[in-house]
Amino acid sequence: MVLFIVNFILYSVAVLGNSTIILICILDPRLHTPMYFFLANLSFLDLCFSTSCIPQMLVNLWGPDKTISYAGCVVQLFSFLSVGGIECILLAVMAYDRYAAVCRPLHYMVIMHPQLCLQLVAVAWGSGLVNAIVMSPLTMTLSRCGQRRVNHFLCEMPALIKMACVDARAVEMLAFTFAILIVLLPLTLILVSYGYIAAAVLRIKSAAGRWKAFNTCSSHLTVVSLFYGSIIYMYMQPGNSSSQDQGKFLTLFYNLVTPMLNPLIYTLRNKEVKGALKKVLWRQQ
C-alpha cells in the first residue's frame, strides 16, 4: 500500500503537470514557437510513457492479483518501444532547436520554419513506430514453453526475451541495432549540438549574455541528463540479480519520475512558461 500511494501521487503529478504544459502551449499565442511546439510534444509523450504501464502497476499493487493479460502485455511492449524511441529522437530534435537559437539567433525563425518542425516531429514519430512495429511481434512470438513469470513490473523487451526457451540471439542483435540507431545516434547528435552551443557561449563576452544563453538550454539539458543517464546506466549493468533490481528501479525512474520532473523543470526555470501559466490561471478566476 505504501508503494501504491507513492506511485499514485507521482503519477497524478505527472499527468497534471504534462497536461498543464500542453494546455498553456496551445492557449497562449506567445508560446506558438518551435521550442514550445517540441515541448508540447515531449509532454504528450511523457503522458503516454507513464500511462502505458503505471495504471497496470497500480492495479497490481492495490490487490492480490499480480497478472497481466497477453493483450495488455502486447500493448505495454508496443507503447514502451514506440514512445521511448520517439522521445529519444525528439530530444535530439530539441537539441538542434537550441543550437539554432544560440548559434544562429538572427536566422532562427528562418531555419526553424513550421514545415521543418513538422517534418522533424514526423521523423521522430515514424522512427519510434517502426521500432515498435518490428520489435514487438518478434519479441512476443518467441516460444516461452508455458506460463512464465515476467521478472519486472511491466512487459519490457529485455525481461520478455529472458523468458524465452529458444535461442533469441537474433532478436537481441536486431534490438541492439535499433538501440544504436534510436538511442546512441540521437545522443551523439545531442552531444555535438551542445558542443557547438558551449563554444558559442564561451565566445560571448558579457556575463549577462552567457547567462541568457545558458538559461535557454539548461532545462532541456537537465531533461536529457535524467532520461539518457538512467537508460545508459541501466543497460550497462551486468546480468546479476542485484543489477536486475536496479534495472527495475531505473525503468520506474524514466517511466514515472522523469515524466513527473519534466514539467517542473520547464516551469520553474522558464519565465515564459510561468508567465503563460499565471495568465491562464488569472483568466479562470
Side-chain angles (χ1 to χ4, degrees), residues 155-226:
C155 291
E156 192 182 21
M157 187 170 61
L160 294 174
I161 290 176
K162 287 179 182 178
M163 292 168 56
C165 59
V166 294
D167 188 356
R169 282 180 293 183
V171 176
E172 290 177 334
M173 288 303 298
L174 187 58
F176 180 75
T177 303
F178 270 104
I180 292 175
L181 297 174
I182 291 179
V183 178
L184 189 58
L185 182 58
L187 179 58
T188 302
L189 295 175
I190 290 171
L191 295 176
V192 170
S193 296
Y194 276 101
Y196 281 106
I197 290 171
V201 170
L202 291 175
R203 288 195 296 268
I204 299 175
K205 295 182 180 180
S206 68
R210 285 195 298 270
W211 174 251
K212 182 179 180 181
F214 172 77
N215 197 48
T216 301
C217 305
S218 58
S219 297
H220 177 253
L221 192 56
T222 304
V223 169
V224 168
S225 301
L226 288 171

Side-chain angles (χ1 to χ4, degrees), residues 11 20 38 68 72 79 83 140 142 146 152 174-175 194 196 199 228 250 254 257:
Y11 177 64
T20 301
F38 297 136
I68 184 172
S79 302
V83 175
M140 295 305 298
L142 289 171
H152 215 305
L174 187 58
Y194 276 101
Y196 281 106
Y228 273 100
L250 288 169
Y254 64 75
V257 179

Side-chain angles (χ1 to χ4, degrees), residues 13-269:
V13 173
V15 170
L16 178 63
N18 285 291
S19 300
T20 301
I21 292 290
I22 294 170
L23 284 175
I24 63 174
C25 286
I26 293 173
L27 295 175
D28 195 322
R30 295 176 300 175
L31 302 186
H32 293 173
T33 62
M35 174 181 174
Y36 295 105
F37 171 68
F38 297 136
L39 176 58
N41 273 269
L42 179 65
S43 293
F44 179 73
L45 289 172
D46 282 338
L47 275 176
C48 296
F49 216 179
S50 296
T51 304
S52 67
C53 62
I54 300 302
Q56 177 66 47
M57 185 186 72
L58 293 175
V59 169
N60 294 145
L61 288 173
W62 177 263
D65 185 17
K66 311 298 181 187
T67 61
I68 184 172
S69 66
Y70 182 85
C73 195
V74 171
V75 170
Q76 273 196 356
L77 178 64
F78 186 88
S79 302
F80 191 83
L81 289 175
S82 58
V83 175
I86 295 167
E87 187 157 339
C88 285
I89 297 172
L90 183 64
L91 289 172
V93 170
M94 294 175 74
Y96 176 72
D97 174 69
R98 294 300 83 207
Y99 158 79
V102 174
C103 300
R104 306 288 298 276
L106 298 178
H107 302 90
Y108 175 69
M109 294 308 298
V110 175
I111 296 172
M112 301 303 295
H113 54 85
Q115 291 83 0
L116 178 63
C117 294
L118 289 172
Q119 290 168 0
L120 291 173
V121 169
V123 168
W125 278 84
S127 301
L129 289 172
V130 167
N131 177 46
I133 289 170
V134 173
M135 294 308 305
S136 295
L138 290 176
T139 303
M140 295 305 298
T141 53
L142 289 171
S143 297
R144 292 185 175 84
C145 305
Q147 291 185 335
R148 301 288 297 275
R149 176 175 174 266
V150 181
N151 188 22
H152 215 305
F153 67 86
L154 73 132
C155 291
E156 192 182 21
M157 187 170 61
L160 294 174
I161 290 176
K162 287 179 182 178
M163 292 168 56
C165 59
V166 294
D167 188 356
R169 282 180 293 183
V171 176
E172 290 177 334
M173 288 303 298
L174 187 58
F176 180 75
T177 303
F178 270 104
I180 292 175
L181 297 174
I182 291 179
V183 178
L184 189 58
L185 182 58
L187 179 58
T188 302
L189 295 175
I190 290 171
L191 295 176
V192 170
S193 296
Y194 276 101
Y196 281 106
I197 290 171
V201 170
L202 291 175
R203 288 195 296 268
I204 299 175
K205 295 182 180 180
S206 68
R210 285 195 298 270
W211 174 251
K212 182 179 180 181
F214 172 77
N215 197 48
T216 301
C217 305
S218 58
S219 297
H220 177 253
L221 192 56
T222 304
V223 169
V224 168
S225 301
L226 288 171
F227 185 76
Y228 273 100
S230 57
I231 289 177
I232 291 172
Y233 182 83
M234 183 180 72
Y235 285 105
M236 288 179 66
Q237 296 301 301
N240 53 46
S241 59
S242 61
S243 68
Q244 289 178 3
D245 292 336
Q246 290 176 352
K248 295 173 190 176
F249 171 77
L250 288 169
T251 302
L252 182 63
F253 185 86
Y254 64 75
N255 265 272
L256 183 57
V257 179
T258 301
M260 186 237 358
L261 289 177
N262 287 356
L264 298 176
I265 292 168
Y266 278 103
T267 302
L268 296 176
R269 305 190 65 153

